[in-house]
Amino acid sequence: MFGSLDAGAATFLTVGAKLGLGSLDHDGFTVLASVGSGRQRERGDFGLPRTRYTFSAAAVLGYQWFFDWGVAAIFAGPEGSIEMLADPRALAASPAAYGLRLHGEIWARPTENTLLQATAILGSTRSSLWTRLAWGYRSWDTYLGPELSVYGDETGYRKWNLGLHATDFAIARYSFRVSGGLQTESGRRRASPYVALAVWSPW
């Protein structure tokens, strides 16, 4: 099971599960199922402030490969989303949209004490692309280092995050990643702070 929270000018919460059609510690087919909800403040007609609420879900089937240097995986499957726009005058919901999601990720350890992680998620529902690249150096049982993530979709919304992360520290049976830094968004003149939290645990 896993979950993540990205909090900044835009906020998004995701929860889900990864199921192996065999052992999750070996090569094989896996399924990722997730649901999420987000909120984004923007400017609407006549410059009036409004809030965009997004609800999404996806279930993708993929295959993961284990190597001496790390793990690589690729997934594909259906996704869907619903959006609502709220401003001082009205609340409007758009029809549900459905499409295809492609998801690829790599967890590599170039050396005994370093971690390189890359993720890319492409969705046709909103013609969206989210990518993240992070590097870390092992300190005790945690990898510390810089991260960069980029998001864009067909609405013209763009978001860049640049910060630092602490990955793979454990509390009891739960593993965590904490990130923080600066975020820039289309339509905003100044960068703003962001924080992100991810947690995962065996079933």
Side-chain angles (χ1 to χ4, degrees):
M1 300 182 67
F2 62 87
S4 64
L5 172 65
D6 295 301
T11 302
F12 203 87
L13 173 67
T14 302
V15 295
K18 181 178 182 180
L19 305 175
L21 306 183
S23 174
L24 286 175
D25 297 330
H26 297 87
D27 291 3
F29 288 97
T30 58
V31 175
L32 284 179
S34 63
V35 294
S37 176
R39 184 183 70 174
Q40 170 188 327
R41 299 188 184 278
E42 56 187 48
R43 292 287 178 178
D45 298 334
F46 309 107
L48 293 174
R50 69 182 185 186
T51 303
R52 182 185 300 270
Y53 296 93
T54 303
F55 305 90
S56 64
V60 292
L61 172 67
Y63 197 90
Q64 61 183 9
W65 296 267
F66 282 77
F67 304 96
D68 292 339
W69 51 262
V71 183
I74 188 167
F75 306 87
E79 67 172 9
S81 70
I82 298 176
E83 289 190 344
M84 292 190 302
L85 290 175
D87 62 31
R89 300 174 300 174
L91 175 65
S94 62
Y98 303 95
L100 176 68
R101 175 175 294 190
L102 299 177
H103 177 148
E105 59 182 42
I106 294 175
W107 292 78
R109 290 179 173 81
T111 68
E112 183 179 354
N113 292 313
T114 59
L115 171 70
L116 179 65
Q117 198 276 317
T119 302
I121 300 176
L122 176 65
S124 66
T125 302
R126 303 181 69 192
S127 298
S128 63
L129 174 64
W130 180 81
T131 62
R132 178 180 181 269
L133 181 65
W135 179 88
Y137 186 82
R138 189 181 183 95
S139 179
W140 291 282
D141 292 328
T142 304
Y143 292 95
L144 306 174
E147 69 171 11
L148 171 67
S149 64
V150 182
Y151 173 85
D153 59 38
E154 64 184 3
T155 67
Y157 176 73
R158 302 290 184 269
K159 180 174 70 173
W160 293 72
N161 287 8
L162 178 62
L164 300 174
H165 71 95
T167 297
D168 209 20
F169 65 91
I171 299 177
R173 60 180 296 181
Y174 298 95
S175 298
F176 294 85
R177 183 188 77 227
V178 177
S179 307
L182 290 178
Q183 176 185 98
T184 61
E185 296 180 281
S186 53
R188 293 180 178 269
R189 297 181 179 180
R190 297 182 179 180
S192 59
Y194 79 90
V195 293
L197 172 66
V199 58
W200 60 95
S201 174
W203 189 270

